[in-house]
């Protein structure tokens, strides 16, 4: 067992398009310790989302390796990758991405249902996470379109955390929120990092947000640099 | 359970696109009703026809081989009567009476005349009016068309080859199918001894063996073949069940062809379901990406869409099934009242409820439901497969 929750070795992604190949990510090496917080910053189009989707096992790299909990994920088939995502990784998206046909509560329940939990267990987990996130019981029965952006993002965070992941990945999680709600959200993530020992990797182009994180890396033209 | 939430999402999505779902459902409903109603129509016609033929099914008709003789002789009849199976023998003489008239001085005409044992005639035909001749009096009955054409009634007199006879009954009109050989519609029917007094014939036009047990038919046929056709073919032996069987087969095929036409409408409905489901997948591309990111297996995404289609198809097929009973009622009403006279239906013992809730109709209805569900299921497979095959990241980026 290594101390690293997450490791990338020579991670490379080349998109093949009609207009030619795009090297979105080149030879990215990164080691993230358990419980560490990392902000990924960089200009638009530099490859931040690409990097995050490789780490989150949402797409396969062209070259290199992503190691999560000592598992070399390039060896896994779709089922194995899915299981990794289900058990080890929580995602928070910029557009919240709640399922529109499910209520806030059901959205949070979704990962637990997928894990095959009984309704009893699910309810227990839901009350503990809503308490922890100070989610208002009243809006749990609402559908996403009936919630404000900040409320939706809190529900999305609850959904990402409820299954007890080791790693939380956020692609501009505060990108659609006003500065006050952004700060509240970042403070919440800080607190969760402290109390739950989560490893966190957050993509942002907002330096103010990046300052919440203990470690910052920059991606420029698909290359990863450690900020000194 | 993962299925709980997958099912709920499938259901909510159908609800959300209510009018679209209903429209796609209507296609299935129409298809199911078409297949089922046509199936019921086919089976009703088939059952009605075969019920009418069933009276004939156990008949073996023996006719003279024309190359040998024009008649079945008295001697041959004796042999036929000794057939070692239980049943009834009806020997029929048929000829033409040359000189028939309504009055002594009115114009004379020719007419077909049938001589048959009246007890047997009673078993073969119903009278629409009057009664059967009694005792030895000079009484006759005539066929329905004969009575119409010649304008005679019960009580009218007929002069046949110089002798006077009184019409005491009129035989109900016989449809082509029943008693195929013995059709008395245009004939005068008299008892055998009166026939012999009127016309000198050398034998019988045909003999009908009505055999009690269908299983004896082959035996009877073999017996007659060996006894009468041993050295030379003198008679031909017609097993009616062979004929009725082939008539029933024709109607069975007809029912099948009709159902196939109904099935085409289901294929069209299937295509509209396919279209709806492809739209549903496309619209939810992003949600599929989210589900995959959260950790849904491909199979779970597939199942969610399959549930959606099957629910749509199941509900629509169920509604179609209910409407099919109504459709079946309508086609049966048409068949029972318009194509077959009520008397004939009464004879067969078939009723609306026995036709609509009989084994065949129920089978059609269940088949309609299953075919409807199967069609939607098949139409849903491809879109569901497409949904599950999408790479999670690509699906997430989809706008
Ligand atoms: N699916 C794809 N096909 C082709 N090219 C792609 C694809 N995804 C990303 N790219 C390209 O890869 C490069 C990096 O894109 P990426 O989305 O990772 O940037 P980003 O740093 O997240 O930008 P932003 O801050 O605007 O979100 C861009 O040039 C983009 O056009
Ligand atoms: Mg991005």
């Amino acid at each position: 067992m290594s101390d690293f929750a997450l490791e990338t070795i020579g991670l490379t992604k080349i998109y093949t398009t009609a207009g030619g190949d795009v090297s979105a990510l080149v030879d990215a090496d990164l080691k993230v310790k358990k419980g560490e917080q990392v902000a990924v910053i960089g200009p638009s189009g530099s490859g931040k989302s690409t990097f995050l989707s490789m780490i989150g096992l949402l797409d396969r790299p062209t070259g290199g390796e992503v190691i999560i909990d000592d598992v070399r994920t390039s060896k896994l088939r779709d089922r194995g990758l899915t299981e990794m995502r289900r058990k080890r990784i929580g995602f928070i998206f910029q557009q919240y991405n709640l399922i529109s046909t499910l209520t806030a509560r059901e959205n949070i329940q979704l990962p637990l249902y997928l894990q095959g939990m009984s309704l009893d267990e699910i309810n227990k987990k839901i009350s503990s996470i809503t308490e922890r996130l100070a989610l208002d019981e009243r809006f749990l029965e609402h559908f996403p379109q009936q919630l404000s952006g900040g409320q939706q993002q809190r529900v999305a965070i609850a959904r990402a955390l409820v299954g007890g992941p080791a790693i939380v990945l956020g692609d501009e999680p505060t990108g659609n929120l006003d500065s006050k709600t952004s700060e509240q959200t970042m403070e919440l993530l800080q607190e969760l990092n402290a109390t739950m020992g989560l490893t966190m990797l957050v993509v942002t182009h907002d330096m103010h947000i990046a300052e919440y994180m203990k470690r910052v890396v920059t991606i420029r033209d698909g290359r990863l640099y450690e900020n000194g | 359970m993962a299925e709980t939430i997958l099912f709920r999402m499938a259901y909510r999505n159908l609800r959300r696109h209510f009018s679209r779902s209903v429209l796609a459902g209507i296609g299935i409903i129409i298809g199911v009703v078409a297949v089922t109603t046509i199936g019921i129509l086919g089976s009703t016609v088939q059952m009605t026809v075969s019920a009418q033929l069933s009276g004939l099914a156990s008949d073996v008709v023996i006719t003279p081989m024309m190359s040998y003789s024009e008649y079945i002789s008295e001697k041959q009849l004796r042999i036929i009567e000794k057939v070692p199976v239980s049943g009834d023998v009806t020997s029929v003489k048929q000829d033409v009476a040359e000189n028939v008239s309504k009055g002594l001085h009115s114009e004379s005409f020719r007419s077909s005349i049938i001589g048959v044992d009246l007890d047997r005639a009673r078993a073969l035909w119903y009278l629409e009016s009057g009664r059967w001749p009694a005792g030895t009096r000079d009484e006759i009955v005539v066929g329905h068309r004969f009575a119409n054409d010649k304008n005679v009634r019960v009580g009218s007199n007929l002069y046949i080859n110089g002798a006077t006879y009184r019409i005491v009954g009129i035989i109900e009109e016989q449809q082509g199918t029943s008693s195929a050989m013995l059709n008395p519609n245009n004939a005068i029917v008299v008892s055998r001894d009166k026939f012999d007094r009127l016309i000198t014939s050398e034998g019988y036009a045909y003999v009908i063996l009505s055999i009690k047990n269908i299983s004896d038919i082959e035996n009877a046929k073999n017996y007659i073949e060996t006894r009468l056709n041993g050295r030379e073919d003198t008679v031909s032996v017609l097993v009616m069940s062979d004929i009725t069987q082939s008539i029933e087969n024709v109607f069975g095929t007809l029912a099948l062809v009709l159902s196939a036409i109904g099935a085409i409408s289901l294929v069209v409905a299937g295509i509209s379901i396919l279209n709806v489901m492809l739209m549903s997948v496309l619209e939810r591309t992003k949600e599929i990406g989210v589900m995959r990111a959260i950790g849904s297996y491909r199979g779970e995404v597939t199942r969610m869409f399959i549930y959606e289609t099957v629910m749509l198809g199941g509900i629509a097929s169920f509604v179609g099934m209910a409407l099919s009973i109504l459709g079946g009622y309508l086609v049966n009403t048409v068949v029972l009242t318009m194509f077959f006279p009520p008397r004939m239906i009464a004879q067969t013992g078939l009723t609306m409820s026995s036709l609509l809730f009989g084994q065949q109709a129920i089978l059609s209805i269940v088949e309609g439901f299953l075919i409807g569900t199967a069609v939607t299921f098949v139409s849903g497979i491809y879109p569901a497969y497409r949904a599950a095959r999408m790479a999670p990241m690509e699906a997430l980026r989809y706008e």
Side-chain angles (χ1 to χ4, degrees), chain A residues 6-14 23-31 50-51 54-55 60-67 72-74 222-224:
Chain A
L6 176 71
E7 210 178 327
T8 67
I9 303 166
L11 200 60
T12 300
K13 179 69 178 180
I14 299 166
S23 300
L25 196 66
V26 183
D27 253 343
D29 295 321
L30 182 72
K31 286 181 183 199
T50 302
F51 185 53
M54 300 295 137
I55 292 173
R60 289 197 186 263
T62 315
E65 181 72 89
V66 176
I67 302 170
R72 301 175 86 83
T73 58
S74 64
R223 296 190 182 269
L224 189 89

Side-chain angles (χ1 to χ4, degrees), chain B residues 141-169:
Chain B
V141 293
V142 297
H144 174 88
R145 260 179 248 157
F146 181 97
N148 271 3
D149 291 352
K150 308 301 183 223
N151 197 18
V152 293
R153 277 171 282 130
V154 169
S156 304
N157 283 338
L158 270 191
Y159 299 87
I160 307 170
N161 295 354
T164 317
Y165 292 88
R166 190 179 172 76
I167 299 172
V168 294

Side-chain angles (χ1 to χ4, degrees), chain A residues 48-49 171-172:
Chain A
K48 304 182 296 293
S49 295
D171 195 347
E172 314 231 12

Side-chain angles (χ1 to χ4, degrees), chain A residues 15-17 22-25 42-51 59 94 171-172 203 205 219, chain B residues 394 397:
Chain A
Y15 292 108
T16 318
T17 66
V22 180
S23 300
L25 196 66
S44 183
S46 57
K48 304 182 296 293
S49 295
T50 302
F51 185 53
D59 206 353
Q94 180 175 355
D171 195 347
E172 314 231 12
V203 167
H205 55 243
I219 297 184
Chain B
E394 249 171 74
R397 293 178 76 102

Side-chain angles (χ1 to χ4, degrees), chain B residues 3 6 13 63 79 98 126 135 213 220 251 314 322 350 356 362 383 388:
Chain B
E3 306 316 302
L6 297 177
N13 199 59
T63 51
I79 293 170
E98 293 290 343
Y126 285 86
N213 304 316
F251 278 98
L350 294 173
L356 201 50
I362 295 291

Side-chain angles (χ1 to χ4, degrees), chain A residues 5 53 72 107 110 128 130 149 153 186 192 201 211:
Chain A
S53 69
R72 301 175 86 83
N107 265 283
L110 182 58
S128 103
T130 50
Q153 195 58 305
M186 289 315 290
L192 293 169
L201 221 119
E211 275 162 18

Side-chain angles (χ1 to χ4, degrees), chain B residues 290-320:
Chain B
V290 174
M291 287 184 69
R292 298 282 283 130
I294 288 175
S296 298
Y297 294 119
R298 281 187 177 148
E300 286 166 343
V301 173
T302 309
R303 287 203 308 275
M304 181 175 74
F305 283 96
I306 295 280
Y307 293 152
E308 187 174 329
T309 357
V310 168
M311 223 183 304
L312 177 60
I315 293 170
S317 300
F318 190 82
V319 172

